[in-house]
Amino acid sequence: MPQIPETIQELTVGQLAARSGAAVSALHFYESKGLISSRRTSGNQRRFSRDALRRVAFVRAAQRVGIPLATIREALAELPEGRTPTEEDWARLSRSWRSELDERIKQLNRLRDHLTDCIGCGCLSLETCVLSNPDDAFGERGAGSRLLVERRGPATSATGGGRSSRAQAQQAPCCGD
């Protein structure tokens, strides 16, 4: 890994990529999402302050444990500009993310258990399989869109009082909207 002298306070995108292990395209993506920032030189080249190294490490560590980028961005936004996340910052954030991760682990365990059940029975039925058709609360009422029909109610005529079915479709809410 290339060493950057302490006297250099700003890094090129290539230097940041080499030091952080992140691809240049990933760094551009992180910047577009507001996770890191740079300034532009008179030649329109990006220059990152040295704290970007710690921020990139922070982002990549959080991503590895499954934290969404939006959540990471919110966490970094709480830090003063130009300050790197500290060990205390990481400890505080990891405590707050722990319950979210625990819930995901429970969901993955349930998914794994249902996958084993489906492999065992081999059904993969679109009517009853919890993997192919999870949480199908309206499936027991019959085929087709249930929400749209139920919202119109039984008093609504098939033509919608003279309106075309296209006008009805444009006006009717869909899928719980």
Side-chain angles (χ1 to χ4, degrees):
M1 180 178 311
Q3 293 297 316
I4 299 170
E6 289 291 324
T7 57
I8 296 178
Q9 296 303 308
E10 291 186 316
L11 308 173
T12 66
V13 70
Q15 290 171 323
L16 182 58
R19 285 292 308 276
S20 68
V24 170
S25 59
L27 297 174
H28 290 169
F29 179 74
Y30 291 164
E31 186 176 18
S32 74
K33 296 299 181 188
L35 300 167
I36 59 175
S37 61
S38 68
R39 73 168 186 85
R40 297 295 182 129
T41 66
S42 59
N44 203 29
Q45 296 174 330
R46 287 178 171 89
R47 292 293 185 265
F48 295 89
S49 60
R50 291 182 75 91
D51 71 292
L53 279 168
R54 175 75 55 102
R55 286 179 176 258
V56 170
F58 183 89
V59 169
R60 295 184 79 199
Q63 280 186 297
R64 265 187 236 111
V65 297
I67 304 300
L69 286 179
T71 304
I72 298 168
R73 182 180 54 244
E74 290 170 8
L76 287 171
E78 293 176 10
L79 299 176
E81 187 63 35
R83 196 191 98 201
T84 59
T86 64
E87 186 177 332
E88 293 80 26
D89 293 327
W90 181 256
R92 179 179 46 82
L93 290 167
S94 64
R95 277 192 306 271
S96 70
W97 293 337
R98 187 175 188 86
S99 62
E100 180 182 333
L101 291 173
D102 287 343
E103 183 57 35
R104 276 200 224 148
I105 289 168
K106 286 180 194 174
Q107 290 173 350
L108 287 170
N109 283 331
R110 281 193 301 271
L111 179 62
R112 180 202 58 217
D113 294 346
H114 288 303
L115 179 63
T116 303
D117 293 345
C118 279
I119 289 172
C121 77
C123 76
L124 295 179
S125 165
L126 290 178
E127 294 175 4
T128 60
C129 182
V130 295
L131 289 178
S132 297
N133 194 15
D135 304 322
D136 185 13
F138 292 102
E140 295 173 3
R141 297 184 191 178
S145 174
R146 307 308 308 160
L147 292 176
L148 190 59
V149 171
E150 290 173 6
R151 285 212 176 142
R152 287 186 185 158
T156 306
S157 70
T159 61
R163 288 184 303 177
S164 71
S165 58
R166 172 179 245 164
Q168 278 182 311
Q170 288 174 344
Q171 221 173 16
C174 179
C175 303
D177 289 343

